[in-house]
Coordinates of all heavy atoms in Angstrom, one line a residue:
Q498 N 24.3 -2.8 -32.9 CA 23.5 -2.0 -33.8 C 22.1 -1.8 -33.3 O 21.2 -1.3 -34.0 CB 23.4 -2.6 -35.2 CG 24.8 -2.7 -35.8 CD 24.8 -2.8 -37.3 OE1 24.0 -2.1 -38.0 NE2 25.6 -3.6 -37.9
G499 N 21.8 -2.1 -32.0 CA 20.6 -1.7 -31.4 C 19.5 -2.7 -31.2 O 18.4 -2.4 -30.9
V500 N 19.9 -4.0 -31.4 CA 18.9 -5.1 -31.1 C 19.1 -5.6 -29.7 O 20.2 -5.7 -29.2 CB 19.1 -6.3 -32.1 CG1 18.0 -7.3 -31.9 CG2 19.0 -5.8 -33.6
R501 N 18.0 -5.8 -29.0 CA 18.1 -6.2 -27.6 C 17.8 -7.7 -27.5 O 16.9 -8.2 -28.1 CB 17.1 -5.4 -26.7 CG 17.5 -3.9 -26.7 CD 16.6 -3.1 -25.9 NE 15.2 -3.1 -26.3 CZ 14.2 -2.6 -25.7 NH1 14.4 -2.0 -24.5 NH2 12.9 -2.6 -26.2
F502 N 18.5 -8.4 -26.6 CA 18.4 -9.8 -26.4 C 18.4 -10.2 -25.0 O 19.0 -9.6 -24.1 CB 19.7 -10.5 -27.0 CG 19.7 -10.5 -28.5 CD1 20.4 -9.5 -29.2 CD2 19.2 -11.6 -29.3 CE1 20.4 -9.5 -30.6 CE2 19.3 -11.6 -30.6 CZ 19.9 -10.5 -31.3
I503 N 17.6 -11.3 -24.7 CA 17.7 -12.0 -23.4 C 17.8 -13.5 -23.8 O 17.1 -14.0 -24.6 CB 16.4 -11.8 -22.6 CG1 16.1 -10.4 -22.3 CG2 16.4 -12.7 -21.3 CD1 14.8 -10.1 -21.6
C504 N 18.8 -14.1 -23.1 CA 19.0 -15.6 -23.2 C 18.7 -16.2 -21.9 O 19.2 -15.7 -20.8 CB 20.4 -15.9 -23.7 SG 20.8 -15.4 -25.4
A505 N 18.0 -17.3 -21.9 CA 17.7 -18.1 -20.7 C 18.3 -19.5 -20.8 O 18.2 -20.1 -21.9 CB 16.2 -18.1 -20.4
S506 N 18.8 -20.0 -19.7 CA 19.4 -21.3 -19.7 C 19.4 -21.8 -18.3 O 19.1 -21.1 -17.3 CB 20.8 -21.3 -20.3 OG 21.7 -20.4 -19.5
V507 N 19.8 -23.1 -18.2 CA 19.9 -23.7 -16.8 C 21.3 -23.3 -16.2 O 22.2 -23.0 -17.0 CB 19.7 -25.2 -16.9 CG1 18.3 -25.6 -17.2 CG2 20.6 -25.8 -18.0
P508 N 21.5 -23.4 -14.9 CA 22.7 -22.9 -14.3 C 24.0 -23.4 -14.8 O 24.9 -22.7 -15.0 CB 22.5 -23.3 -12.8 CG 21.0 -23.4 -12.6 CD 20.5 -24.0 -13.9
Y509 N 24.1 -24.7 -15.1 CA 25.3 -25.3 -15.5 C 25.6 -25.0 -17.0 O 26.7 -25.4 -17.5 CB 25.4 -26.8 -15.3 CG 24.1 -27.5 -15.7 CD1 23.9 -28.1 -16.9 CD2 23.0 -27.6 -14.7 CE1 22.8 -28.8 -17.2 CE2 21.9 -28.3 -15.1 CZ 21.7 -28.8 -16.3 OH 20.6 -29.5 -16.7
H510 N 24.7 -24.2 -17.6 CA 25.0 -23.7 -19.0 C 24.9 -22.2 -19.0 O 24.8 -21.6 -20.1 CB 24.0 -24.3 -20.0 CG 24.3 -25.8 -20.3 ND1 25.4 -26.2 -21.0 CD2 23.6 -26.9 -20.0 CE1 25.3 -27.5 -21.1 NE2 24.2 -28.0 -20.5
S511 N 25.0 -21.6 -17.9 CA 24.7 -20.1 -17.9 C 25.7 -19.3 -18.6 O 25.4 -18.2 -19.1 CB 24.6 -19.6 -16.4 OG 25.9 -19.9 -15.7
D512 N 26.9 -19.8 -18.8 CA 27.9 -19.0 -19.5 C 28.2 -19.5 -20.9 O 29.2 -19.2 -21.6 CB 29.2 -19.0 -18.7 CG 29.8 -20.4 -18.6 OD1 29.1 -21.4 -18.8 OD2 31.0 -20.5 -18.2
D513 N 27.2 -20.3 -21.5 CA 27.4 -20.9 -22.8 C 27.6 -19.8 -23.8 O 28.4 -19.9 -24.7 CB 26.2 -21.8 -23.2 CG 26.3 -23.2 -22.6 OD1 27.3 -23.5 -22.0 OD2 25.4 -24.0 -22.9
V514 N 26.7 -18.7 -23.7 CA 26.8 -17.7 -24.7 C 28.1 -16.9 -24.7 O 28.6 -16.5 -25.7 CB 25.6 -16.7 -24.5 CG1 25.7 -15.9 -23.3 CG2 25.5 -15.8 -25.8
I515 N 28.7 -16.8 -23.5 CA 30.0 -16.2 -23.4 C 31.1 -17.1 -23.9 O 32.0 -16.7 -24.6 CB 30.3 -15.8 -21.9 CG1 29.3 -14.8 -21.4 CG2 31.7 -15.2 -21.8 CD1 29.4 -14.5 -19.9
R516 N 31.0 -18.4 -23.6 CA 32.0 -19.3 -24.1 C 32.0 -19.4 -25.7 O 33.0 -19.6 -26.3 CB 31.8 -20.7 -23.5 CG 32.2 -20.9 -22.1 CD 32.4 -22.3 -21.8 NE 31.2 -23.1 -22.1 CZ 30.4 -23.6 -21.1 NH1 30.7 -23.4 -19.9 NH2 29.4 -24.3 -21.5
G517 N 30.7 -19.2 -26.2 CA 30.6 -19.1 -27.6 C 31.3 -18.0 -28.3 O 31.8 -18.1 -29.4
N518 N 31.4 -16.9 -27.5 CA 32.2 -15.7 -28.0 C 32.7 -15.0 -26.9 O 32.1 -14.1 -26.2 CB 31.2 -14.8 -28.9 CG 32.0 -13.6 -29.4 OD1 33.2 -13.6 -29.4 ND2 31.3 -12.6 -30.0
P519 N 34.0 -15.2 -26.5 CA 34.6 -14.6 -25.3 C 34.6 -13.0 -25.4 O 34.7 -12.4 -24.4 CB 36.1 -15.1 -25.4 CG 36.0 -16.4 -26.1 CD 34.9 -16.2 -27.2
D520 N 34.4 -12.5 -26.6 CA 34.3 -11.0 -26.8 C 33.1 -10.5 -26.0 O 33.0 -9.3 -25.8 CB 34.3 -10.6 -28.2 CG 35.6 -10.8 -28.9 OD1 36.6 -10.9 -28.2 OD2 35.7 -10.8 -30.2
L521 N 32.1 -11.3 -25.8 CA 30.9 -10.8 -25.0 C 31.2 -10.7 -23.6 O 30.4 -10.1 -22.9 CB 29.8 -11.9 -25.2 CG 29.0 -11.8 -26.6 CD1 28.1 -12.9 -26.7 CD2 28.3 -10.4 -26.6
R522 N 32.3 -11.2 -23.1 CA 32.6 -11.0 -21.6 C 32.7 -9.5 -21.3 O 33.4 -8.7 -22.0 CB 33.9 -11.7 -21.3 CG 34.1 -12.0 -19.8 CD 35.3 -12.8 -19.5 NE 35.2 -14.1 -20.2 CZ 34.6 -15.2 -19.7 NH1 33.9 -15.1 -18.6 NH2 34.6 -16.3 -20.4

Side-chain angles (χ1 to χ4, degrees):
Q498 299 206 39
V500 183
R501 297 183 294 173
F502 289 88
I503 298 173
C504 290
S506 60
V507 289
Y509 43 94
H510 287 292
S511 59
D512 62 346
D513 277 1
V514 69
I515 298 176
R516 286 200 306 250
N518 182 11
D520 285 346
L521 279 172
R522 199 173 301 278

